Amino acid sequence: MGWNASVFVVVRTVLAAGGVVVAVVLALRIAVLVLEPRLAFYPVREYFETPAAAGLPFEDVFLRTGDGVRIHGWFIPAAERARPRQPLTLLFFHGNAENIGGCLDLAALTRAAGHNLLLVDYRGYGESDGQPSEAGLYRDAEAALQHLMSRPDVDPSRVVVWGRSVGAAVAVFLAAGGEGRAHGGAVLDAGAPSPGPGAPPLAGLILESAFTSAPDLLKTGGHWLLYAAARFGTYRFDSAARMARVAAPLLVIHGTGDDIAPFILGRRLYELAPGKKEFVAIRDGGHNDLLPLHADELWGAVSRFLSSLP
């Protein structure tokens, strides 16, 4: 075999091997994209409790997102009391493997304290239609915020967004100004006017059991296989990249014993925030027990923060 023939064989072998690598990478990427929603989200449909069962007045709220998905929530008004101005309104985003039926202990606290509350289920959760995705959760959040901004019983300059776990990433997205057009167009609540560039900024932002990004969460938690697979996926929930754009006063609450979103990630996210901020560490608090087991510390911190807002 001549020199030219040998070179041809080597080149052909290299190209064949490269083709196999490309095919394997492509197959992995397709597999991850197909499995990503199932691995990332654990939608809960059935309600653990309803406001009616808990004795709370409420309004069923159905919103239409910019991509046409109908989502559901409960608006729970503040307890009636004499006040010189409209109350603060909290917009709460729950964590994964939850729905708004598990948020009514919080609703009782906010109502008694004189605050309005809107609880919203992401698409695929509770009575909301559709299937969850990262971009979809952001669209749901923008629809919820714009609904509040358009309500006559809500002061749009006194809206506080509170997110827990993955809901914290959704809350950061809103506080950073959103990216509606990056997801295929403006994200509007059907029938509601867009807040537009002159919309009031958020009055405050509360992050509970937050994390910097999904890859950081997997890496820090030691989930190396999922971390490697995530490199082929699209979900990032990259709150760290958005924190520089958060101008609202910030409260970050994190349990030191959190084994799902490690404490260091919540602290790191807090350190990236540029403005007025406060960090509250709840000793021995886990990821899912801050309200059930540490209500005095959690609600005490929230109450102080809310009372400090204009």
Side-chain angles (χ1 to χ4, degrees):
M1 181 181 293
W3 185 83
N4 288 340
S6 298
V7 170
F8 176 75
V9 170
V10 170
V11 170
R12 185 173 63 180
T13 301
V14 169
L15 290 175
V20 170
V21 171
V22 170
V24 169
V25 170
L26 182 60
L28 282 172
R29 182 169 179 79
I30 292 172
V32 169
L33 290 176
V34 170
L35 294 174
E36 194 171 35
R38 299 181 184 181
L39 294 173
F41 300 106
Y42 301 91
V44 177
R45 286 289 191 184
E46 185 177 354
Y47 290 140
F48 172 75
E49 191 176 22
T50 65
L56 293 169
F58 73 102
E59 173 191 336
D60 268 314
V61 174
F62 289 93
L63 308 176
R64 188 72 61 176
T65 67
D67 58 339
V69 177
R70 191 183 78 153
I71 60 171
H72 172 249
W74 292 322
F75 182 83
I76 299 168
E80 291 295 332
R81 60 177 64 182
R83 57 173 70 91
R85 59 192 300 192
Q86 285 185 304
L88 286 169
T89 298
L90 277 61
L91 172 56
F92 183 82
F93 297 112
H94 59 73
N96 209 347
E98 302 173 357
N99 64 33
I100 58 177
C103 303
L104 295 180
D105 286 346
L106 174 63
L109 289 170
T110 58
R111 173 170 164 76
H115 311 308
N116 297 323
L117 174 68
L118 177 61
L119 300 170
V120 176
D121 269 325
Y122 315 118
R123 57 189 65 198
Y125 290 71
E127 294 183 11
S128 294
D129 297 340
Q131 298 296 323
S133 67
E134 181 179 2
L137 265 63
Y138 297 152
R139 285 171 165 162
D140 301 340
E142 289 189 319
L145 179 60
Q146 294 194 18
H147 169 76
L148 283 181
M149 294 294 187
S150 69
R151 290 182 65 107
D153 54 352
V154 168
D155 182 343
S157 69
R158 307 198 77 217
V159 173
V160 176
V161 175
W162 181 347
R164 200 187 89 73
S165 189
V166 71
V170 175
V172 170
F173 170 85
L174 282 184
E179 295 168 358
R181 295 199 177 276
H183 297 303
V187 182
L188 303 176
D189 170 22
S194 168
L202 294 178
L205 175 65
I206 302 171
L207 304 179
E208 177 188 343
S209 306
F211 53 88
T212 47
S213 70
D216 285 350
L217 186 68
L218 295 173
K219 184 177 180 180
T220 308
H223 306 292
W224 293 103
L225 182 60
L226 291 176
Y227 173 69
R231 297 175 66 87
F232 296 96
T234 62
Y235 294 171
R236 292 294 178 265
F237 290 104
D238 196 350
S239 296
R242 297 185 172 107
M243 284 304 290
R245 303 199 304 273
V246 173
L250 171 68
L251 172 64
V252 178
I253 306 174
H254 215 109
T256 62
D258 193 326
D259 59 355
I260 295 178
F263 179 82
I264 189 173
L265 297 185
R267 183 70 195 187
R268 190 180 302 163
L269 189 62
Y270 165 81
E271 290 169 352
L272 292 171
K276 179 183 178 182
K277 57 188 179 180
E278 178 185 0
F279 187 89
V280 173
I282 297 184
R283 184 173 181 180
D284 298 327
H287 189 73
N288 296 313
D289 65 4
L290 295 190
L291 185 59
L293 299 183
H294 304 273
D296 289 347
E297 292 173 84
L298 175 73
W299 185 247
V302 170
S303 295
R304 290 191 299 273
F305 175 73
L306 295 178
S307 65
S308 73
L309 301 178

